[in-house]
Amino acid sequence: GQQLNQSPQSMFIQEGEDVSMNCTSSSIFNTWLWYKQDPGEGPVLLIALYKAGELTSNGRLTAQFGITRKDSFLNISASIPSDVGIYFCAGHLNTNAGKSTFGDGTTLTVKP
Amino acid sequence: SQTIHQWPATLVQPVGSPLSLECTVEGTSNPNLYWYRQAAGRGLQLLFYSVGIGQISSEVPQNLSASRPQDRQFILSSKKLLLSDSGFYLCARGVGQGPYGYTFGSGTRLTVV
């Protein structure tokens, strides 16, 4: 089946720094999605990308759908302590009964 | 509202005991529903999905089963739990009918002892 490689696995940064994480796949997707999971909770959708090359922002978050449709990145600017959590990328094919394939996540720690 | 209700929040069960986790969803009818499992420090593994009442598709061979007796009810079951069934179980519904992502429930932490 399809697999997503998400990197880095973990990040330790100072408050105020910018963060970048990415996701790559050996096959194409029609949609890329980014989620954030707080401890003990279910993931929450942050950004959805539907077109190759699309760049979308949500507050301090910016994500891009790669031109090849096989990758995506997420940037967080001016990190704050509440950005702590696990960030997941997910790829989706329109013909797949709504199923998404998830990366293994990037664990973000922000030091005040 | 696209709220998902999942219970219990935590569960400790002995090996060989049965399991029933329930998920109910609010909002638009005929949602796509999913059960995912998350092992510690790992991503989400799709276990089952359902596109309608009584319609269940299994993604991986395992000790678990799923049922959808009502439009907004999705149940995950096992007759005899194994140690390897421990994990964080998440129910999700598709947002709309297209690839718009999921709304997840708050999860059930299952520990098999």
Side-chain angles (χ1 to χ4, degrees):
Chain A
Q2 295 167 312
Q3 290 192 344
L4 298 185
N5 297 309
Q6 189 172 347
S7 65
Q9 187 175 13
S10 60
M11 302 182 73
F12 296 83
I13 61 170
Q14 289 291 140
E15 182 177 358
E17 289 183 354
D18 297 343
V19 172
S20 183
M21 59 191 79
N22 67 79
C23 212
T24 60
S25 171
S26 58
S27 53
I28 64 173
F29 287 104
N30 300 118
T31 302
W32 281 94
L33 307 129
W34 286 92
Y35 293 83
K36 182 194 176 196
Q37 183 180 32
D38 291 327
E41 298 290 330
V44 174
L45 182 64
L46 299 174
I47 291 180
L49 302 155
Y50 302 109
K51 294 181 184 178
E54 179 181 357
L55 184 72
T56 297
S57 293
N58 179 6
R60 294 179 294 106
L61 307 178
T62 302
Q64 184 157 31
F65 192 143
I67 290 291
T68 65
R69 298 167 65 191
K70 293 183 179 181
D71 63 314
S72 177
F73 73 74
L74 174 71
N75 287 342
I76 305 173
S77 62
S79 59
I80 59 179
S82 62
D83 290 334
V84 165
I86 305 176
Y87 291 80
F88 291 101
C89 63
H92 180 92
L93 284 174
N94 292 347
T95 58
N96 220 16
K99 297 182 292 181
S100 289
T101 301
F102 283 80
D104 281 348
T106 294
T107 300
L108 178 64
T109 302
V110 180
K111 295 179 249 183
Chain B
S1 170
Q2 303 291 319
T3 304
I4 297 179
H5 302 281
Q6 214 180 319
W7 66 91
T10 59
L11 192 58
V12 180
Q13 292 283 99
V15 168
S17 65
L19 173 74
S20 181
L21 301 182
E22 187 161 344
C23 170
T24 59
V25 304
E26 298 178 4
T28 54
S29 60
N30 199 33
N32 287 350
L33 298 176
Y34 310 86
W35 277 110
Y36 279 85
R37 178 171 59 201
Q38 184 178 23
R42 297 300 305 276
L44 284 73
Q45 180 188 33
L46 180 62
L47 302 176
F48 301 95
Y49 69 94
S50 171
V51 298
I53 296 174
Q55 300 180 60
I56 306 294
S57 296
S58 174
E59 284 294 293
V60 294
Q62 59 203 312
N63 185 43
L64 302 169
S65 62
S67 62
R68 186 169 176 177
Q70 300 180 45
D71 182 47
R72 294 189 174 91
Q73 185 183 29
F74 202 23
I75 299 171
L76 184 70
S77 305
S78 173
K79 292 182 179 178
K80 289 185 179 181
L81 284 169
L82 305 172
L83 286 174
S84 58
D85 291 325
S86 294
F88 191 47
Y89 288 83
L90 289 157
C91 178
R93 68 169 291 162
V95 178
Q97 295 301 317
Y100 304 123
Y102 297 156
T103 299
F104 282 91
S106 55
T108 295
R109 174 78 57 194
L110 173 65
T111 304
V112 182
V113 296

